[in-house]
Structures are given as C-alpha cells and as structure tokens.
Amino acid sequence: MADDAQAPLCSERFGSGTARSCRAGADGSLQWEAWGWRWWGFSGGLRVKPEGRNGGGGEALGTASPPLSGLQAVFLPQGFPDSVSPDYLPYQLWDSVQAFASSLSGSLATQAVLLGIGVGNAKASVSAAAATWLVKDSTGMLGRIVFAWWKGSKLDCNAKQWRLFADILNDVAMFLEIMAPIYPICFTMTVCTSNLAKCIVSVAGGATRAALTMHQARRNNMADVSAKDSSQETLVNLAGLLVSLLMLPLVSDQPGFSLGCFLLLTALHIYANYRAVRALVMETLNEGRLRLVLKHFLQSGEVLDPTSANHMEPLWTGFWPSQSLSLGVPLHRLISSVSELQQLIEGHQEPYLLCWDQSRNQVQVVLSQTAGPETVLRAATHGLVLGALQGDGPLPGELEKLRNHVQAGPGKDSWVIVKETHQMLDKLFPKFLKGLQGAGWKTEKHQLEVDEWRATWLLSPEKKVL
C-alpha cells in the first residue's frame, strides 16, 4: 500500500521538455515535482492544497522554472526544438557570431563615411554632404530594383550560396566605405558603389533568409521563427553597439589600427557565415544537390541522405561549369517545322519533351501543362543522365555501353540517344525516386529552376489512340 501511495498520480511536460510527476501528499494535497530539479540539484515538491483550487486560502500552483527557460521563451520559437528543423540551433549560433562581427565592422565603416562627408570639419558644406548622401541612396535604390528583377527567381534555388554571397559582398561594401576617405576625389563614386552593393545584399540576404525560415519552420510557424530570429539579431546588434562605443574611441585616430581591426572582424565574419551555411541541411533538391545524389546513385546504386549531400554541396554560386540544363523552355525555340516536332515527340511518353545538343552538351526541356513536381524531377534527372554520357566515372551497364557509343563519335543522332535514355529511365527512375524518399528527401516539392513556359502536343503517330 505504501508503494501505491508513492506512485505518481499524473504527470505533465511542456513541449519536448522533461516530464514532471505529481504525487498525493499525506494531507490530501498534490505534490508536484519541481521544474529543473535534475539540473539544479533540488527535488523539493511544490504543494497544492485542495482548497486552493476554489480560490480559498491555498497556494496556487507554482513552478520553479530554471532561468534558461525564460530566455528560451523570449529568443527561441515556441515548441523548440520540435517546432524547428534539426539544423536550427547550429545555424542560429553561427549566424549570431557573424552578425556580431558584422555589427562591429559596420560601426568602423559608418565612422569612415561620416568622416568622409565632413563631419567634424568646419570647412565642409552641408549641401554638398546632403547631395552626396542623396546620390548614394538613389544609386542603391535603382540597384535593388535591377537585382531583384535579374536574380530574384534564382534565390530560392540556391539559397545557401546566395546567402554566403550576400554576406561576402557586404564585407566588400564596408571595405570600400573604410577606404573612401583616403581618396577624397573618388569619395562620392566609392560610397555610391558601396551602397549599391549593400542594397544588393539587402535583397539577396532578405530573400534567402525568408527561404531559410520556410525550411526551419516545421509547424506552420514561419511568423514565430522569423520573429524570434529578429529578436536574436536585435540582441546581438545591441551587444555590438555597446562594444562599438568602447572600440571606436580607441581606433578613431589610428587608421592603420582601424583597418587591422576591420580585417580581423571580416575574417571572423566570413568564417562564421561559412559555418552557418554549411550547418544547413536542405531536404529538397536543387540542381546541385540532385547532381551529387544522382552521380553517387549511378556509381554505387545507393542514394545519399540529405545530410551527406548538403555537406558535399559546394557553396559558391555557379561552381559547376558543366552542361546547361534549362527546364520550362518555350516550344518554339526548339522547332521550326512539322518534321522537327514529330522527331522531338517520338519516344516521349512522359509529359515533357527533351532536346539535347551534343556539341554544347546543352539540355533543354519543354514541360507539358500537366507536368507536376515528379515530372520536373524526372526531366531534370534525364538531362543530368545525358550529361553523364559525356563525363567520367562508372555507370550502370546499359548507360556505360551508350556512353561508349557517344564518346566514340557521332554515330547516333541526339534524338535517337534521347529516345534510348527514355527507355532506360523507365527502369532507373522509379528505383531512384524510391531511394530518394527512403533517404529522407522531400520529392513532393523541389528547388529546381523552372521557367513558366508550358506546352501541349499531339501524340506521335505510333502512339495515337484509335
């Protein structure tokens, strides 16, 4: 009976935290296990008397929460860590380090710009300073619009690479600002160039941050993840501001020392950015990750999991100088006659048409109106398989024989090879797709760059339904 009396009556937990139990006291009260006792070395129960439930003279239910739980509620999304992706914490830690270094570097750059426009110089003209500032801002505004039009659609596809690019470009912009006062004749042009770069950074950094927030949010909690990221950044910038107040008086009269501090902070900034981006594990396929996974699959028959593929993915935009893969191209670009259309359609049973230029190793894909994510993934895989025919490394038996024919010389037309690879992919792609899903990849969506062109076409003569 004593054992039964000591047995927990119930238990509760917050999110994924450690559960605490509740036992019955000798006087009929509830004794809750204190929060955090395993970490803080105490195990005193919190007593709740029966009359307290009705608002009588009893104690209200209390919790002895550890101090860290309060900070977690302020700076981390609700339900952490279950409500975010597994790579959330390492990314945010390194992102905070880079933000702190960038804040200090920004203070040095701002000091240099203010010095260059004449702050503290009695001979400086207010109107000239205002004109310089207006030209600088207008240049940046135009640059923001042009860059968003030029590269906006590519930022989702390579969010990690563009994120790293944006932070490095930000360092270049701040370096220009620090060097601007040294060459007064070129000051206006230098600060305009710097602000243009910073506006590009704001577009690329903001857009990729939104893409990463979508990746990190696992409970339809994008707003919460974004808000807490803003709180973390504000805290880091506040710390950077306080340190800057101590640092700037020490370096204001020593340009060499100021430049040395900037270079040291820049090195820390780039390293922390690299570690932050490398910590990300994207579970959707873009062209780079698909190329890595497919190459490994063709060579070994196994599919890389997202963690391995992300760690192998190069982080520099445009790293691969390989064949061009264009998805969603207009049909009129590929054909100019009925015979060319019939030749293009022949052998295509899937809702896409593929044209391969062997001489330039360029693959262009026309997508049907009915093409979904799986079709786009197959079309991209088909294009990369064709590219592998002109590359090195082991391939499965039939593809190896076909590659030998391709590399031996132009014995077969491109459309004949495309038709043969279609038949091979009928066997290969279902196994590849199943392997992707088993390894943890999300195949119901992708981050492949796809244009908006879609087309419809009649079946080839041998496939017409009578």
Side-chain angles (χ1 to χ4, degrees):
M1 296 295 293
D3 292 339
D4 293 339
Q6 294 298 321
L9 297 176
C10 53
S11 64
E12 66 177 4
R13 69 172 187 172
F14 183 79
S16 59
T18 303
R20 66 168 184 168
S21 59
C22 175
R23 291 177 170 81
D27 57 352
S29 62
L30 297 178
Q31 293 185 332
W32 287 96
E33 182 181 28
W35 288 115
W37 67 272
R38 291 181 177 86
W39 295 276
W40 301 96
F42 59 86
S43 58
L46 298 180
R47 299 174 64 86
V48 182
K49 295 183 179 179
E51 60 268 27
R53 180 183 180 189
N54 298 323
E59 302 177 41
L61 178 63
T63 59
S65 302
L68 289 179
S69 64
L71 293 176
Q72 176 175 323
V74 173
F75 293 107
L76 294 175
Q78 183 176 349
F80 174 86
D82 296 332
S83 62
V84 292
S85 59
D87 57 13
Y88 177 84
L89 189 58
Y91 174 81
Q92 293 299 127
L93 289 174
W94 283 110
D95 189 57
S96 297
V97 173
Q98 70 85 17
F100 180 75
S102 181
S103 177
L104 298 182
S105 299
S107 298
L108 295 173
T110 301
Q111 181 189 42
V113 171
L114 294 176
L115 178 65
I117 63 175
V119 173
N121 185 357
K123 298 180 181 181
S125 168
V126 175
S127 60
T132 300
W133 207 267
L134 291 174
V135 172
K136 175 179 76 73
D137 285 351
S138 60
T139 303
M141 292 174 186
L142 291 175
R144 182 184 287 112
I145 295 173
V146 172
F147 181 77
W149 161 76
W150 181 38
K151 291 293 184 181
S153 62
K154 295 177 173 59
L155 300 179
D156 280 307
C157 304
N158 297 291
K160 295 195 294 184
Q161 289 84 348
W162 282 108
R163 182 74 179 176
L164 186 59
F165 167 83
D167 283 301
I168 293 176
L169 184 60
N170 190 48
D171 290 331
V172 173
M174 289 189 290
F175 177 74
L176 290 175
E177 290 179 340
I178 286 181
M179 299 301 294
I182 300 177
Y183 304 100
I185 297 178
C186 303
F187 179 80
T188 300
M189 183 179 67
T190 303
V191 295
C192 286
T193 303
S194 171
N195 199 57
L196 174 63
K198 283 191 170 183
C199 287
I200 293 175
V201 168
S202 69
V203 174
T208 53
R209 180 60 224 176
L212 298 181
T213 299
M214 289 181 62
H215 159 70
Q216 291 175 333
R218 294 302 165 94
R219 289 183 180 173
N220 294 322
N221 58 337
M222 275 189 59
D224 187 26
V225 172
S226 180
K228 296 304 168 58
D229 178 70
S230 178
S231 295
Q232 296 168 23
E233 186 175 357
T234 301
L235 178 65
V236 171
N237 288 336
L238 179 60
L241 177 63
L242 296 176
V243 175
S244 296
L245 292 175
L246 300 176
M247 178 183 66
L248 291 179
L250 301 178
V251 302
S252 57
D253 297 327
Q254 304 180 57
F257 184 52
S258 176
L259 181 60
C261 290
F262 173 78
L263 294 177
L264 182 63
L265 290 169
T266 299
L268 175 61
H269 180 240
I270 294 176
Y271 175 74
N273 265 295
Y274 176 83
R275 291 297 301 270
V277 173
R278 182 57 78 190
L280 289 169
V281 179
M282 309 295 285
E283 294 142 343
T284 48
L285 291 163
N286 62 1
E287 185 180 341
R289 291 188 287 273
L290 178 60
R291 180 180 283 106
L292 284 170
V293 174
L294 180 62
K295 181 179 179 181
H296 188 269
F297 175 76
L298 294 176
Q299 292 179 352
S300 66
E302 298 178 354
V303 175
L304 289 172
D305 61 87
T307 301
S308 301
N310 277 268
H311 288 168
M312 295 168 61
E313 181 185 9
L315 296 178
W316 306 105
T317 301
F319 179 83
W320 285 291
S322 59
Q323 110 265 10
S324 173
L325 175 63
S326 302
L327 300 170
V329 301
L331 183 59
H332 70 263
R333 183 187 298 176
L334 306 183
I335 57 173
S336 58
S337 66
V338 175
S339 60
E340 289 182 355
L341 175 60
Q342 291 175 343
Q343 191 178 79
L344 186 64
I345 293 175
E346 186 176 355
H348 286 75
Q349 300 180 19
E350 296 293 326
Y352 67 88
L353 303 177
L354 188 147
C355 179
W356 181 38
D357 185 342
Q358 290 190 58
S359 60
R360 294 185 295 175
N361 202 17
Q362 184 179 42
V363 177
Q364 299 184 82
V365 180
V366 178
L367 296 173
S368 168
Q369 296 279 9
T370 60
E374 186 175 317
T375 298
V376 175
L377 185 59
R378 173 176 168 133
T381 302
H382 194 169
L384 296 178
V385 166
L386 288 171
L389 297 179
Q390 294 189 342
D392 299 322
L395 292 176
E398 294 182 357
L399 283 175
E400 183 67 34
K401 294 178 182 179
L402 186 57
R403 179 170 65 180
N404 293 335
H405 287 301
V406 171
Q407 296 183 351
K412 293 184 178 181
D413 291 334
S414 295
W415 67 272
V416 177
I417 298 173
V418 170
K419 183 177 179 180
E420 292 182 7
T421 52
H422 254 298
Q423 297 170 356
M424 295 177 187
L425 244 67
D426 288 339
K427 302 176 183 177
L428 188 68
F429 184 73
K431 181 181 177 182
F432 180 55
L433 182 64
K434 184 177 180 181
L436 288 173
Q437 295 167 346
W441 293 98
K442 297 180 179 179
T443 57
E444 68 276 7
K445 56 183 178 179
H446 58 78
Q447 290 178 331
L448 297 164
E449 185 180 346
V450 184
D451 208 345
E452 293 301 312
W453 288 96
R454 297 295 183 270
T456 58
W457 55 87
L458 297 176
L459 294 175
S460 55
E462 66 271 16
K463 292 184 179 63
K464 285 185 178 179
V465 179
L466 299 179

